[in-house]
Amino acid sequence: MIYYAEIELFLYECHSLKDKRSVLLKLKNRLRKDLNIAISEVEYQDLWQRAKLAVVTVSESRVINEQVLQQVLSITDSFTELERTTTIMEER
């Protein structure tokens, strides 16, 4: 089973694209290392206070996929530099 999530973020303390890339790189590296997921920025690359990330996880169990995506959201919410605004999750 493949689970997919789109996470929109607002980055409060970023005042340039360089700041934004730094924060997102730190988040993406931590998620990849801790949870072994695929993650990429898919929209708003030219805006410095907004981002949309796509996250994909694959497993044989729906329960495991849901747990992994909940951990993704929990880790994302732990970053004080950003706020999660919209999250869409679906099974593909």
Side-chain angles (χ1 to χ4, degrees):
M1 301 187 115
I2 300 171
Y3 263 55
Y4 173 81
E6 284 186 356
I7 305 168
E8 283 198 39
L9 305 169
F10 186 78
L11 298 99
Y12 290 107
E13 299 174 12
C14 294
H15 300 291
S16 69
L17 289 174
K18 187 175 180 179
D19 290 344
K20 175 186 175 181
R21 282 192 298 270
S22 172
V23 171
L24 291 180
L25 184 63
K26 189 166 63 167
L27 173 63
K28 292 189 304 184
N29 285 343
R30 176 154 178 220
L31 290 171
R32 281 186 191 117
K33 183 181 101 152
D34 291 354
L35 302 175
N36 193 23
I37 57 163
I39 185 168
S40 180
E41 184 178 5
V42 293
E43 280 187 42
Y44 313 121
Q45 287 93 342
D46 57 340
L47 300 176
W48 42 270
Q49 286 193 319
R50 251 182 117 178
K52 183 183 269 189
L53 301 177
V55 178
V56 178
T57 183
V58 179
S59 173
E60 61 197 32
S61 167
R62 172 181 288 164
V63 173
I64 292 172
N65 283 336
E66 289 175 354
Q67 288 174 346
V68 169
L69 287 181
Q70 286 303 318
Q71 289 177 323
V72 166
L73 299 179
S74 177
I75 290 171
T76 301
D77 290 341
S78 73
F79 275 69
T80 58
E81 303 96 333
L82 52 87
E83 177 184 353
R84 182 169 48 96
T85 57
T86 306
T87 305
I88 300 170
M89 288 193 257
E90 57 188 57
E91 183 180 342
R92 294 202 170 185

